[in-house]
Amino acid sequence: MRIAVVGATGNIGALTTAALERDGHEVVRVSRSLGVDLLTGAGLDEALAGVDAVVDASNAPPADRDGTVAYFGTTTRNLLAAEQRAGVRHHVLLSIAGADRVEGNAHYAGKREQERLVTAGPVPWTIVPATQFHDFAAMVASWTEQDGVASVPPLLMQPIAPADVAGILAEIAAGAPRGRYQAIAGPEPQDLVDMARRTVEARGHHVKLVPTWSGLFGPEMAGNALLPGDGARIAPTTFDEWLATQR
């Protein structure tokens, strides 16, 4: 198949591209750095010519809630309209498990807007809600680190390996549209502060971690809010196995 990956230069996009190519598909890489602008639509029609399916693994630049919703809304409308013109038969959206359970976070609000537009849109679709990735904890610590100190919220999550996410996206993109897919998650619940501590140690980075609810993640994300719930598809790679690749 000829499959476009939107956000192809990002972490998940690059891994999904590699997984699709390993399976023998022709991949069209879509990103701003490669000359396709989702925000303006420039280059989209050319990129999607002859494409059978699209995997949307794009992200939004940091912004407040309204800005993030507006960005995801504009880019998703542009993408779906171009797909309809090109005759694309399957739109696969990578989303977040539990996006409907967290109101205050800007990124979650943007993903809900994406989901709304895709489900009401003109292209047959599959939405794949994933839990946070194994590298999420170190990413959060990097966002807040200052003078050797980083604040990390004590979140409970069931993280999934980025390569496992990519493999599932590649598998789904090659098949028929499935509507809302079950949540995908890693095999074990983890504490975000402990994940951050172990990741920075494995990478040889020295930073003091301070557990706190201040910042981007509030108490509404505590408890089971970020867990996948019953019926999730459990990917095989454990956090320990992923961590061994970071040393």
Side-chain angles (χ1 to χ4, degrees), residues 5 33 45 48-49 65 67 121 150 200-202 207 209 231 235 241 245-246:
V5 175
S33 64
D45 287 334
L48 298 185
R65 181 189 179 102
V200 297
E201 286 179 358
V207 58
L209 301 176
E241 289 169 337
T245 68
Q246 303 300 299

Side-chain angles (χ1 to χ4, degrees), residues 66-150:
D66 288 346
T68 303
V69 170
Y71 181 89
F72 273 131
T74 298
T75 57
T76 302
R77 287 187 187 93
N78 287 341
L79 181 57
L80 291 172
E83 289 176 21
Q84 184 180 31
R85 291 192 296 271
V88 172
R89 300 193 299 270
H90 190 185
H91 179 95
V92 180
L93 172 65
L94 175 61
S95 192
I96 306 173
D100 58 336
R101 299 196 294 265
V102 178
E103 283 295 326
N105 185 277
H107 188 69
Y108 278 60
K111 297 305 287 187
R112 287 195 297 273
E113 177 67 1
Q114 271 192 308
E115 290 190 8
R116 184 186 71 81
L117 293 168
V118 168
T119 57
V123 181
W125 53 273
T126 305
I127 292 174
V128 184
T131 57
Q132 286 70 30
F133 309 144
H134 282 158
D135 54 0
F136 180 71
M139 190 182 308
V140 171
S142 71
W143 292 341
T144 62
E145 183 177 350
Q146 189 170 12
D147 298 326
V149 179

